[in-house]
Every structure is written in structure tokens, then in C-alpha cells.
Amino acid sequence: MVLVRNLRPPTEGVRHEEANTTAVLSGQQLGCGTLYVAETRLSWFDGSGMGFSLEYPSISLHAISRDVSAYPEEHLYVMVNGKLEKAAEEEDDDGSDSSNGDEEEVITEIRFVPRDKASLESMFSAMCECQALHPDPDDEDSDNDFEGEEYNVEEADGMEVDAAVAEAGQFEDADVEH
């Protein structure tokens, strides 16, 4: 996957734009630039137009890190599925992809360090909103899916309800209290 290359920043669906943000890729500082949290992707660009964009399904985790023992400054931490590298390093001399075909899942850590630390909360919130627009289709823990058996209250409590006793419309004039 290509990381640093000449791209244009997003213009539509930008939820947050943070200038003066340093990007650190797997411990290597890429420089100071602008972070764009857009509805379709997360992008960062330096002053020369070089940068990268990440699609939300490739982002497995994002968080605000305030632990200065792990990294010397507070930052937005992003974990990406796959190996990211500079475009010049991605291809071997023969033009082939430099990955060696390992089946082991590789992750890349990116740290976005804004000059204005007070903006970390809004950066994180914008990412949460945009990430929610791209749910993981393989997520088995989704709250929207119910794959178990239905819970029958009558069977569980040992109660039986005689349908013949209930009269049609008997609750139409009941007061509703909320």
C-alpha cells in the first residue's frame, strides 16, 4: 500500500481540518502538515503536497494518547491494518511489491501530533463520526444483528396467558404514563 505520494487534499465531506500536525509513521517523523478528517477517508499532507489517505475500513483503532511515557507528546494514535511505507520504498528494484507473502497480519502505527493539544478531542470525535459511516462488514459483535433464539417471557417465567380472557380493545382508553 502506498503511503506518501503527491495527492490532493479532500474538499468534500471534511469534518475536521487540523493544520500544524506532525505525522509519525512507525516511529519515523514525516514532517508537519495538515490532517483532514473527511467522511470518506483520513488524509494528511505536508506543505509540498506530499501526503497520504487512509480509507476507514483499513483503520482498526484510533485513540487519544496522553501517555508521555509511550510517546513524548499527546497525540491521536491510529492503528492501520497492513504495512504502510513511503512510495519510494514500496517497490523493489525489479518493480515487484516488497511484501514477502507472509500470512501474518501486519499493522502500522501512525501518530498525529497537533501543535494545539486542545484540538485532540475534536479530532477524535470527527474520526469517530466518520468511522461510524463505514461499519466493518465482518464485525461479528454488531449490535444490529440478532442471531440467537427469541426469548419467550411466558416460557421462562412459567406463566401462561389465556388469549380467550383478553378482550379486543380493552386497553384503548388506558392512560399512558411515561
Side-chain angles (χ1 to χ4, degrees):
M1 181 183 304
V2 173
L3 175 64
V4 180
R5 58 185 172 150
N6 198 355
L7 297 171
R8 292 183 179 227
T11 57
E12 295 181 14
V14 176
R15 300 270 182 113
H16 186 88
E17 181 177 331
E18 189 66 37
N20 301 313
T21 300
T22 300
V24 180
L25 170 69
S26 298
Q28 179 184 359
Q29 189 168 339
L30 300 179
C32 190
T34 302
L35 177 69
Y36 297 88
V37 182
E39 293 174 355
T40 55
R41 57 184 36 102
L42 178 69
S43 304
W44 176 87
F45 296 92
D46 68 10
S48 71
M50 295 297 284
F52 61 89
S53 290
L54 302 168
E55 294 185 1
Y56 288 102
S58 70
I59 299 172
S60 58
L61 175 95
H62 64 279
I64 296 175
S65 176
R66 300 189 192 282
D67 182 4
V68 294
S69 66
Y71 190 79
E73 294 183 75
E74 294 180 352
H75 60 279
L76 181 66
Y77 175 84
V78 177
M79 185 184 298
V80 180
N81 297 327
K83 182 174 180 171
L84 303 179
E85 49 196 38
K86 286 190 175 183
E89 297 171 357
E90 183 178 20
E91 295 185 11
D92 292 335
D93 292 337
D94 63 359
S96 64
D97 190 346
S98 61
S99 65
N100 56 12
D102 287 348
E103 294 296 321
E104 187 176 315
E105 191 168 329
V106 178
I107 60 160
T108 301
E109 296 178 327
I110 304 174
R111 301 173 196 277
F112 295 105
V113 185
R115 182 176 295 157
D116 179 12
K117 302 301 186 252
S119 65
L120 281 169
E121 292 292 337
S122 58
M123 291 166 61
F124 178 77
S125 294
M127 274 202 69
C128 288
E129 292 169 8
C130 294
Q131 186 84 39
L133 297 174
H134 304 276
D136 184 354
D138 298 329
D139 185 6
E140 295 175 10
D141 296 330
S142 175
D143 293 336
N144 299 331
D145 300 329
F146 180 77
E147 297 177 7
E149 293 182 27
E150 288 189 31
Y151 180 75
N152 187 331
V153 174
E154 295 170 7
E155 290 176 8
D157 294 333
M159 290 183 0
E160 291 186 26
V161 176
D162 187 356
V165 175
E167 295 178 24
Q170 77 183 47
F171 299 111
E172 287 179 359
D173 63 343
D175 290 331
V176 178
E177 295 179 18
H178 292 277

